[in-house]
């Protein structure tokens, strides 16, 4: 099939073969339901708590503060919907931002339809939330602040520690959607004053369909999925043992290489950013130059529409994505790019490149070389571009 | 994106990209929803036959492919015949488009109509069945399940 | 490790090795996010809809009426919570039964705390719901009837067709929790007038952590997990492609063998029931003798406590489960056994045996022989038993 | 169920199962929550030394194992010493119990107390520190997270 270069690791990652290997026995050999009495299955309960421990340790949390879910979206939904109910007698106001993932934004909009007040904070041109704006938005009836750890499109890392401190000072719960950040940057829930944190395994070489919500001990939160007594009665459903083992194994592997990986990827990322900005005219980098995920680069090319760019890169064997959601049902340009102030037509021509530890300098060179040609070709075709 | 082979072919090798100097008519339309823009240039002879046609498009893969196909379809046709090149005809010629991409083909139809209107205005003609083009196309979405 | 006989297929099943094989490429090769533009990932969108088609066909449903979830519990929660909101202007009353799985019962109790009226119907001594009782419970403000297809403890199959007809007649939505029934008995949503149906892959040799909710076209229902545009905007979250492929493959395999399997298993089940009732005194069969799942047998042994029985069977290499939830955090005896009228101490001594197509007559003979000895030994130890 | 090896051993090979004819004391207690029942028979000599002990239990694995261990612990002890055999002591001797099973060990402690009470009553004795047993044991659950 010729060249194949996967540069969309923010969308999902390859499951590590070691992870798959660790999962395999739990499909056809140790397939027992962990809630069962007999030893065959009870062993799975221990395997599960080993995974919980690995994850807890990676966050500076306690084992019984980690709750397995079916992924980042469920974790986000749970965190918002359930705290809003549990703290209804305290207030009905939550604070979040304009650049959250839809799993937060659409949930917040749903909550608005139920009478919850939501403040959506602005961000600056680099996508940064101002902690002082968080402070200013706090009201007596504020029960929750939810600010993402790092943005999934433009890679900006938010001032979580500062926001956490403000939340703590004011006795308000602080949730962070760390789906893009977990295992890509170091996170310590104590140091950062995080009360709840969402993560999803398939963003760090684990399997799809499994994630977790960290819930600090003492946080009141109702079940989101009611039923059996799994997950300390807080999340019902027969445990996805292979998935849990997959996530735990992936976390263990990723945690061991975190610093090294971040260093490698960010160097490559900087090389990519430098080349693109230098060699392709009418181009801008979206997101903060420094406070950004090690593996994320996001560009806007003027006079260019995103999908055409993606398809042409695809024809060259390069997988990337666009800020434009044109293709996923909605035709609106990215809410994130609009929030950082890009006009519609520029927001349309954006490209997200997200690296992995397998990405090489040769890959980046190939990408940039092709990108130059493709951008030129599309501009040639564009009625907006007069050279 | 499940684009047909024909769509991919027209996208990869778009026909008639470019501009015509001193065109008989030129039309530019945009889709308000997705922000995409298409411009069509026509060269029409005294017998009202389209001798040449070029396009420029700022848009998705489907927009590029439908522009390309639309220009092929109208080339050599009379103005009257060209009016019959609907977005349906363009889609059929491309072996279909994914549902979310149907609106892109409207862009091509409207751009041709706009170019023909421009031609008619410049030449003080009245073309049967041609209406003044809107500069922005709005189209109803596919019927969707009710959402809550 | 000596003998190993797995007779707890109602708790979970072994993932079929063919299913695992079908899943494998989607971890490390075709790992793309189905929502992506590039061809590498877009292919997964088609794979997904193939699975949807397999499942739709098995139910007599349309492809776009199948929505993937993380399992039976999520499907049940979704069906109840979301319809209650979507039909709030029609009414606030739902009808269910006393023998539902906790995924329904605890959800219904949660809804009660939100002001929803819930009728929990009684069942007869065999666990059967009376369709006329359903009819009698209907009020002008009734918006939903939810009755399980087959009970997970005692295996009784409910008169779904009759209940469906009553629901339809009265213009009320009908949901059924078919987690135990799907792929064990034939189901046609048209014939049975089912509007919504929950299922879970790990109950039919598919993987854990994946299931679906069938939603008839036209049913108004809000999202349960808000976020991205997946599942026609009704269930957000990056699709669990390996899980979906696993469930589809399992459904395909199971559908092809359904009749044959049911015949084989029910013969073996009847053999087991006959031997136990004949050879072990003070024993009763729980659940309907005829209207019962092909693979389920459930017994109560007087003077016997369930957990001891399970552990002793476990020591003989036999995996079974008890009606008693003693071990899973709660110490109350099974709500199902109480609902069919068993006194506490008898409800405590119950045993569920659930077969698979791999179960042999030798397995059953071994089970019954050991059971006789163990029951005698425990009775020996029991202060309630005076021989 | 993560039962220790000691628990499994006592469960598989319970010591002192049975009855004593004409016992010095017998005690039966039940746990209202789980419905389990335990009965202990004591044979006590004139020096208030427990010469023999037997039990019958309708209960879970932990109940059987704690009964068994408790009988072992009190055998040969004086009545006064036997009073010191608390559920904690039984659990320790068994290398612990899972949290949900702690209440089962109370059953053993209470059954011994009930048998001693019966012995005291029959022999018109007053045993220091022994209270009239309740027939049903109620115990506060483990502290649980608030639920919603
Ligand atoms: C009848 C019934 N409903 C719902 C469920 C929940 O399914 P899951 O554990 O896959 O979420 C189960 C099985 O546990 C069941 O037997
Ligand atoms: C920031 C962020 N939050 C939430 C999600 C949702 O995670 P999942 O798709 O695993 O449910 C994603 C990824 O899709 C994400 O990038
Ligand atoms: S032209 Fe706008 S999405 Fe195709
Ligand atoms: S004695 Fe009741 S659960 Fe152990």
């Amino acid at each position: 099939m010729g060249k194949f270069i996967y540069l969309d690791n923010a969308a999902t990652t390859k499951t590590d073969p070691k992870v798959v290997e660790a999962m395999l026995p739990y499909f056809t050999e140790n397939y027992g339901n962990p809630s069962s009495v007999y030893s065959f299955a009870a062993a799975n309960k221990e395997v599960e708590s080993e995974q919980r421990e690995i994850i807890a340790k990676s966050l500076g949390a306690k084992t019984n503060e980690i709750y397995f879910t079916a992924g980042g979206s469920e974790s986000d939904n749970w965190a918002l919907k359930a705290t809003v109910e549990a703290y209804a007698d305290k207030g009905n106001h939550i604070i979040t931002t304009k650049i959250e993932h839809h799993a937060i934004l659409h949930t917040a909009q749903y909550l608005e339809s139920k009478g919850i007040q939501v403040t959506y904070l602005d961000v600056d041109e680099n996508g940064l939330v101002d902690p002082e704006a968080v402070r200013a938005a706090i009201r007596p009836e504020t029960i929750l602040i939810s600010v993402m750890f790092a943005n999934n499109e433009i890679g900006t890392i938010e001032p979580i520690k500062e926001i956490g401190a403000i939340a703590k000072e004011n006795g308000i719960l602080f949730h962070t959607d760390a789906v893009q950040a977990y295992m890509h940057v170091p996170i310590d829930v104590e140091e950062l004053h995080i009360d709840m944190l969402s993560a999803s395994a398939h963003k760090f070489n684990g399997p799809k369909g499994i994630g977790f919500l960290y819930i600090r001990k003492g946080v009141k939160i109702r079940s989101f999925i009611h039923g059996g007594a799994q997950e300390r009665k807080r999340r019902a459903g027969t445990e996805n043992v292979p998935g849990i083992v997959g996530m735990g194994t992936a976390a263990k592997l990723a945690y061991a290489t975190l610093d090294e990986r971040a260093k490698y990827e960010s160097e490559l990322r900087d090389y990519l950013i430098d080349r693109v900005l230098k060699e392709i005219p009418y181009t801008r980098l979206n997101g903060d130059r420094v406070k950004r995920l090690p593996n994320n680069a996001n560009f806007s090319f003027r006079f260019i529409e995103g999908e055409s760019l993606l398809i042409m890169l695809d024809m060259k064997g390069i997988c990337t994505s666009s800020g434009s959601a044109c293709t996923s049902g909605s035709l609106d340009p990215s809410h994130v790019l609009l929030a950082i102030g890009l006009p519609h037509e520029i927001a349309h021509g954006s490209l997200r490149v997200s690296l992995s530890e397998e990405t090489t300098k040769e890959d980046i060179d190939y990408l940039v070389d092709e990108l130059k040609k493709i951008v030129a070709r599309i501009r040639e075709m564009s009625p907006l571009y007069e050279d | 994106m499940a684009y047909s082979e024909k769509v991919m072919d027209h996208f990869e090798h778009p026909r008639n990209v470019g501009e015509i100097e001193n065109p008989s008519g030129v039309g530019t339309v945009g889709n308000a929803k997705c922000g995409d823009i298409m411009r069509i240039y026509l060269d029409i002879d005294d017998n009202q036959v389209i001798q040449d046609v070029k396009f420029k498009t700022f848009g998705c893969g489907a927009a590029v492919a439908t522009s390309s196909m639309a220009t092929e379809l109208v080339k050599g046709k009379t103005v009257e015949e060209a009016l019959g090149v609907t977005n349906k005809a363009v889609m059929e010629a491309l072996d279909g488009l994914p549902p979310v991409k149907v609106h892109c083909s409207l862009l091509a139809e409207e751009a041709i109509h706009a170019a023909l209107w421009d031609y008619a205005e410049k030449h003080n003609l009245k073309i049967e069945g041609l209406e003044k083009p809107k500069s922005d196309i709005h189209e109803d979405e596919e019927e969707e399940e009710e959402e809550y």
Side-chain angles (χ1 to χ4, degrees), chain A residues 33 225-228 230 235-239:
Chain A
N33 187 323
I225 298 187
H226 290 90
Q230 294 92 349
R235 202 285 194 176
T238 302
E239 294 94 330

Side-chain angles (χ1 to χ4, degrees), chain A residues 38-57:
Chain A
Y38 37 82
S39 47
F40 167 63
N44 284 352
K45 197 102 211 161
E46 282 177 41
V47 168
E48 239 184 70
S49 70
E50 280 163 34
Q51 314 308 311
R52 225 185 284 277
E53 209 168 303
I54 292 169
I55 291 167
K57 231 174 98 182

Side-chain angles (χ1 to χ4, degrees), chain A residues 59-351:
Chain A
L59 287 169
K62 293 181 212 77
T63 307
N64 58 11
E65 295 176 324
I66 305 297
Y67 297 83
F68 297 130
T69 67
S73 299
E74 185 191 325
S75 298
D76 283 347
N77 274 255
W78 185 12
L80 264 58
K81 291 176 186 171
T83 42
V84 154
E85 281 191 21
Y87 289 85
D89 50 358
K90 192 190 159 196
N92 68 342
H93 176 240
I94 67 180
I95 299 171
T96 185
T97 79
K98 288 197 176 149
I99 62 161
E100 298 296 313
H101 189 269
H102 283 142
I104 293 288
L105 278 188
H106 289 166
T107 301
Q109 283 156 11
Y110 163 76
L111 290 174
E112 280 188 288
S113 79
K114 301 275 141 199
I116 302 297
Q117 309 277 326
V118 183
T119 300
Y120 301 93
L121 295 174
D122 284 317
V123 295
D124 73 8
E125 73 278 7
N126 292 323
L128 283 165
V129 174
D130 178 1
E132 288 313 313
V134 175
R135 191 194 300 279
I138 292 174
R139 310 179 194 164
E141 62 273 19
T142 305
I143 53 178
L144 176 70
I145 297 168
S146 180
V147 175
M148 72 199 315
F149 205 108
N151 184 269
N152 49 307
E153 294 189 28
I154 59 175
T156 300
I157 297 175
E158 301 298 341
I160 293 302
K161 186 173 180 174
E162 288 76 6
I163 297 170
I166 290 169
K168 195 176 177 188
E169 231 173 78
N170 289 273
I172 297 169
L173 284 185
F174 178 41
H175 167 259
T176 185
D177 174 346
V179 169
Q180 290 289 335
Y182 180 65
M183 286 304 165
H184 296 280
V185 296
I187 302 179
D188 184 301
V189 292
E190 286 309 321
E191 194 191 317
L192 306 178
H193 312 294
I194 296 169
D195 295 312
M196 292 186 282
L197 177 147
S198 306
S200 194
H202 72 97
K203 307 284 189 187
F204 54 94
N205 302 104
K208 295 176 176 63
I210 186 90
F212 68 84
L213 182 63
Y214 156 78
I215 307 176
R216 181 183 292 279
K217 190 166 164 52
V219 170
K220 290 193 295 181
I221 182 167
R222 69 157 173 88
S223 279
F224 179 57
I225 298 187
H226 290 90
Q230 294 92 349
E231 299 296 300
R232 314 175 77 228
K233 298 195 189 161
R234 283 181 156 186
R235 202 285 194 176
T238 302
E239 294 94 330
N240 178 357
V241 184
I244 291 167
V245 170
M247 178 160 67
T249 307
K252 195 170 183 171
L253 292 168
Y255 193 59
T257 60
L258 209 165
D259 294 342
E260 183 191 337
R261 215 170 0 105
K263 185 167 179 296
Y264 174 77
E265 288 174 7
S266 54
E267 277 171 16
L268 215 50
R269 172 201 71 189
D270 291 342
Y271 174 72
L272 165 67
I273 292 173
D274 289 344
R275 270 204 70 185
V276 168
L277 293 183
K278 208 164 66 195
E279 299 180 30
I280 305 182
Y282 303 114
T283 298
R284 64 163 269 160
L285 175 75
N286 297 313
D288 196 273
R289 186 70 191 78
V290 179
K291 294 171 195 147
R292 93 181 286 130
L293 288 172
N295 66 343
N296 172 295
N298 185 306
F299 305 100
S300 284
F301 302 99
R302 282 185 72 178
F303 321 119
I304 294 264
E305 195 275 343
E307 200 207 49
S308 297
L309 185 59
L310 298 192
I311 299 180
M312 289 194 183
L313 285 167
D314 185 25
M315 286 169 171
K316 297 295 172 187
I318 304 169
C319 299
T320 53
S321 69
S322 160
S324 157
C326 226
T327 49
S328 61
S330 153
L331 301 166
D332 307 325
S334 147
H335 65 283
V336 176
L337 298 179
L338 295 181
I340 62 171
L342 296 198
H344 269 242
E345 74 278 10
I346 296 182
H348 256 284
S350 72
L351 178 76

